[in-house]
Amino acid sequence: MMRMKTKPTAATFNGGCEPVAREWELRPGGMLVQKRHPDSDQITIPPAPTIRVKVKYGSIYHQININSQATFGELKKMLTGPTGLHHKDQKLIYKDKERDSNVFLDMVGVKDKSKMVLMEDPISQEKRLMEMRKNAKMEKASKSISEISFEVDRLAGQVSAYESIISKGGKVNEKDVVNLIELLMNQLLKLDGIMADGDVKLQRKMQVRRVQKYVETLDMLKIKNSMPDNNGGGEMEMQSQHKHTNGQRVAQIQERYYNQQQQQSSAADGVVVTTKWETFDSFPALVPVPSTSTSTANNSISPPKFPWEFFD
């Protein structure tokens, strides 16, 4: 498109005082028209006016200057400073009706010098406090898991060192292996005592599997370290001992965790339980033994006898 500038052909006056020069452009059809500027196509929208509303909270009136097209939620945030009330705990009443935080002021007829009432919402306050406690609990659990993970990383280095020595035919002190297993067990007990939900629960589960894997590795290394050779039937014997050790280890973890929970529950009630209960794997069946005595003349039947066991 070819454009050209010419001198003003007609005198236009700015306010009737001074002439203003115009720029012209030649259109493709040969028509000479006034040049358009990019800013001339933009529609200027005047800003919304600022209004002043009076909000009553208790016996005190607060005057707030706010945009007429703002929402009630924005007004609540502005009221947080002068009232000291969290914006989620506020309830604004306008024309005897509670207004939602997403509703615009001008949509419900709020104008300059309009009046409304601010009240405290106990239900929202309770929900917010419960959410804060839950978040604090999850944050504490996540922090505890991070600390346990850091300690497990340190112990994992020792597991790798022992595994490298024993796999090359070397020997390590069995007491050191046992102590390392106990340290890992303590971390496992700490993980069992953490209550969490969501992502934090998934993190705890991953750490539990990780610790269990290290314990199983140490059990195998312990058996391998105590054996003179690993040929022939020694491998089968090592696997059998490993299974037996795992069963004992799980039983120990369950017993420790149960005792820990029992002590915590007793401490909360103000009672300390020191009794160690003995459990029995199986009980003898109460099978009646037929009587050897014969029936008497009056056809009386003797009562059944049971093989009772007596414990000292």
Side-chain angles (χ1 to χ4, degrees):
M1 178 171 50
M2 183 176 66
R3 298 181 180 178
M4 68 177 182
K5 295 183 180 180
T6 62
K7 295 181 180 180
T9 57
T12 56
F13 296 90
N14 184 8
C17 298
E18 298 178 356
V20 179
R22 292 183 177 179
E23 295 182 357
W24 302 87
E25 63 180 352
L26 186 64
R27 294 293 181 89
M31 183 180 295
L32 188 64
V33 297
Q34 184 180 355
K35 184 179 179 180
R36 295 177 300 178
H37 295 279
D39 298 337
S40 62
D41 295 336
Q42 297 180 357
I43 301 176
T44 304
I45 301 176
T50 301
I51 60 176
R52 182 177 57 182
V53 296
K54 295 182 68 176
V55 182
K56 181 182 179 183
Y57 178 56
S59 59
I60 303 175
Y61 284 88
H62 300 277
Q63 292 186 359
I64 305 296
N65 296 327
I66 190 172
N67 192 307
S68 61
Q69 296 180 355
T71 62
F72 280 89
E74 296 176 2
L75 179 57
K76 290 179 180 180
K77 292 180 180 180
M78 297 179 68
L79 289 168
T80 301
T83 61
L85 192 63
H86 197 274
H87 65 92
K88 292 185 178 180
D89 301 340
Q90 298 178 12
K91 183 165 58 174
L92 281 174
I93 309 297
Y94 178 67
K95 291 184 178 181
D96 299 331
K97 185 178 179 181
E98 181 183 357
R99 304 297 176 174
D100 189 79
S101 298
N102 298 324
V103 177
F104 293 91
L105 298 176
D106 58 345
M107 296 297 295
V108 296
V110 178
K111 301 178 181 179
D112 189 29
K113 298 182 181 179
S114 295
K115 297 180 180 179
M116 56 187 70
V117 180
L118 175 64
M119 298 178 63
E120 185 177 358
D121 190 359
I123 298 178
S124 299
Q125 185 179 17
E126 184 177 357
K127 289 182 179 179
R128 185 174 62 86
L129 293 176
M130 291 179 63
E131 185 178 358
M132 290 177 59
R133 294 193 188 100
K134 183 179 179 180
N135 293 336
K137 185 178 179 181
M138 292 297 102
E139 184 177 356
K140 182 180 179 181
S142 179
K143 184 178 179 181
S144 300
I145 293 175
S146 299
E147 294 176 355
I148 293 174
S149 177
F150 180 78
E151 181 65 18
V152 173
D153 290 339
R154 187 182 67 84
L155 298 176
Q158 300 182 24
V159 175
S160 300
Y162 291 161
E163 187 177 9
S164 177
I165 295 173
I166 297 176
S167 62
K168 294 179 180 179
K171 297 292 183 179
V172 297
N173 191 356
E174 184 177 355
K175 186 177 180 181
D176 295 338
V177 178
V178 173
N179 291 337
L180 187 55
I181 293 176
E182 291 296 328
L183 291 175
L184 288 170
M185 284 298 178
N186 291 334
Q187 302 303 320
L188 191 60
L189 289 175
K190 291 180 182 179
L191 289 171
D192 290 337
I194 296 176
M195 304 300 296
D197 295 325
D199 295 337
V200 181
K201 184 178 181 180
L202 182 61
Q203 294 176 8
R204 183 182 68 86
K205 187 176 181 180
M206 293 174 60
Q207 293 299 324
V208 168
R209 291 180 178 177
R210 183 185 177 199
V211 174
Q212 289 176 347
K213 182 180 178 180
Y214 288 144
V215 171
E216 291 177 359
T217 301
L218 288 174
D219 286 337
M220 294 291 291
L221 293 176
K222 179 182 176 182
I223 298 172
K224 189 175 181 180
N225 185 61
S226 61
M227 295 179 61
D229 53 11
N230 298 325
N231 299 325
E235 192 71 25
M236 297 296 296
E237 181 181 358
M238 183 173 63
Q239 293 180 1
S240 177
Q241 292 181 5
H242 174 60
K243 293 180 179 180
H244 180 68
T245 305
N246 284 342
Q248 291 180 345
R249 196 69 63 190
V250 172
Q252 290 177 3
I253 294 175
Q254 293 176 350
E255 183 179 0
R256 290 183 182 180
Y257 182 67
Y258 174 76
N259 293 335
Q260 184 182 15
Q261 296 294 327
Q262 188 176 18
Q263 291 176 2
Q264 292 177 356
S265 177
S266 302
D269 298 336
V271 180
V272 178
V273 179
T274 59
T275 305
K276 295 184 178 178
W277 300 98
E278 183 179 0
T279 58
F280 301 93
D281 295 335
S282 60
F283 297 92
L286 301 180
V287 181
V289 178
S291 176
T292 56
S293 59
T294 58
S295 59
T296 56
N298 55 357
N299 296 328
S300 62
I301 301 175
S302 61
K305 296 181 180 180
F306 298 91
W308 300 99
E309 287 188 351
F310 297 93
F311 300 95
D312 295 334

